[in-house]
Amino acid sequence: MKLIGIDLDGTLLNSQQKISKKNVEVLGEISEKCFPFICSGREVEDIKNILKENKLSIPAIGLNGAVGYDYEKKLFEFYFNHSSVKKISSLTSKFPTKIYTNNGSYESNEYKARLKEIFSEIGNEFSIDELNYELEYEKSIQSTSYNNINDIFDIDGVKVYKFFVFIPNRKMKSKIKKELESIHGITVTESSEVNLEIVPYNVSKGLVYSHLEKIYGLKNVTKFAIGDSLNDLSLFEMSDFSFAMGNGHQTIKNMATYVISSNDEDGVAEALKAISAM
């Protein structure tokens, strides 16, 4: 069985945040010996809606591997304990932050305004494209504003899956990352040079392979990865063969088995055809 992990943003989605007709066509035609799944930093509901819009029925794994669904069936979930959430929040509270939970996503007060403000204050080493990407991405996301982490704790039965923190300064980001890594029970990764993504210690895109192998009883598995950014590193590390998008981060390209066309040139379709032929 060919188990294929496919990233979403910058990979399956093009620059217009759409799945191209060609990519949809090839995904729909993939052989019975292939088991594709989406593995993204996005919320599962967001992924499911995108798949439904394109009439694609494959498992949706969200929040860097914290939550997995097949249609409406929950496959697995992993979340922080409250102590870890408080420690993370205390270190990141001065930066624009999004918190993803089983009750939807939450964003620190005046989130979009703070993105612009903090980029103006400390982000001079980066291109304005980094800020514009975040602002464009936000147009498709609906989040509830919060003032204090206790606002979220007050929600009955809340489970926190992931933190996303915007830190457009290499020195500051490195310092915060080091401090976060001293907290027991968490994993710190990133999807670009201006953010940190924080998940429970037992969460990574790469671990999704073993979750799905166990849940579906898959045998004689060959693992494939298709991605573009730094939060795809574990997916690539755990795969047997990996395909980096032409628009991908150089680190990802350097470790990939193959470098393919960009997300605006049907790179995923190209990779899937190659995988089917292997």
Side-chain angles (χ1 to χ4, degrees), residues 5 37 39 205-206 209 225-226 232-239:
F37 62 95
C39 195
K205 289 189 176 186
Y209 290 120
I226 310 174
D232 296 319
L233 281 172
S234 65
L235 198 67
F236 276 44
E237 288 168 351
M238 297 298 290
S239 69

Side-chain angles (χ1 to χ4, degrees), residues 208-221:
V208 174
Y209 290 120
S210 59
H211 298 333
L212 296 181
E213 285 180 76
K214 184 175 181 180
I215 291 167
Y216 290 97
L218 304 178
K219 305 296 183 184
N220 301 317
V221 169

Side-chain angles (χ1 to χ4, degrees), residues 71-94:
Y71 296 98
E72 297 306 314
K73 179 185 177 183
K74 184 188 291 181
L75 301 175
F76 57 83
E77 68 173 353
F78 302 97
Y79 49 91
F80 294 108
N81 60 46
H82 279 200
S83 174
S84 294
V85 171
K86 287 186 175 180
K87 289 176 182 177
I88 294 166
S89 181
S90 69
L91 290 173
T92 60
S93 59
K94 69 178 182 179

Side-chain angles (χ1 to χ4, degrees), residues 141-159:
I141 305 297
Q142 295 294 322
S143 298
T144 303
S145 181
Y146 74 93
N147 289 308
N148 186 286
I149 194 65
N150 290 322
D151 296 343
I152 296 175
F153 281 147
D154 288 342
I155 302 166
D156 187 39
V158 71
K159 299 173 184 176

